[in-house]
Amino acid sequence: MRRLLLLLLVLFSTSFYAQKKKKDTLPIPKWKINGKFSFVFNQSSFSNWSSGGENTIAGNLTVDYNFNYKKDNVNWDTRMITRLWY
């Protein structure tokens, strides 16, 4: 009986130890980048239009990003805003 209890104690103690999670220490990122990119395309077409109208094609490209760098006492913030219409 003692051997059975000792065996169970050893098995359970190793299984409890195996379940212990290691704390993850990830490095603090120096760069933070966030933003958006969008592209919009429009087309209108008229056929057999008696009172007029023009066929058109249009496009819009927008890029808006933030780049932020932080390390110790150095902070650098850059913002890029670009728009193109056609």
Side-chain angles (χ1 to χ4, degrees):
M1 183 71 176
R2 287 178 121 187
R3 289 185 181 181
L4 180 63
L5 287 175
L6 182 62
L7 179 65
L8 289 176
L9 180 64
V10 169
L11 289 176
F12 281 117
S13 65
T14 57
S15 66
F16 289 137
Y17 181 74
Q19 299 298 322
K20 189 175 182 181
K21 293 185 178 180
K22 186 177 179 182
K23 185 178 178 182
D24 292 334
T25 55
L26 297 175
I28 298 172
K30 296 176 186 174
W31 284 97
K32 289 185 181 178
I33 302 172
N34 59 5
K36 64 179 181 177
F37 172 84
S38 63
F39 177 70
V40 178
F41 179 76
N42 296 318
Q43 177 184 5
S44 62
S45 176
F46 300 102
S47 62
N48 297 327
W49 189 259
S50 61
S51 56
E54 293 184 20
N55 298 335
T56 60
I57 295 176
N60 185 3
L61 176 69
T62 303
V63 178
D64 186 4
Y65 272 90
N66 293 322
F67 302 95
N68 301 321
Y69 177 81
K70 183 175 183 181
K71 183 179 178 185
D72 298 332
N73 292 330
V74 177
N75 291 331
W76 183 277
D77 297 328
T78 304
R79 187 165 188 180
M80 180 177 68
I81 302 172
T82 304
R83 290 185 177 93
L84 175 66
W85 292 279
Y86 175 73

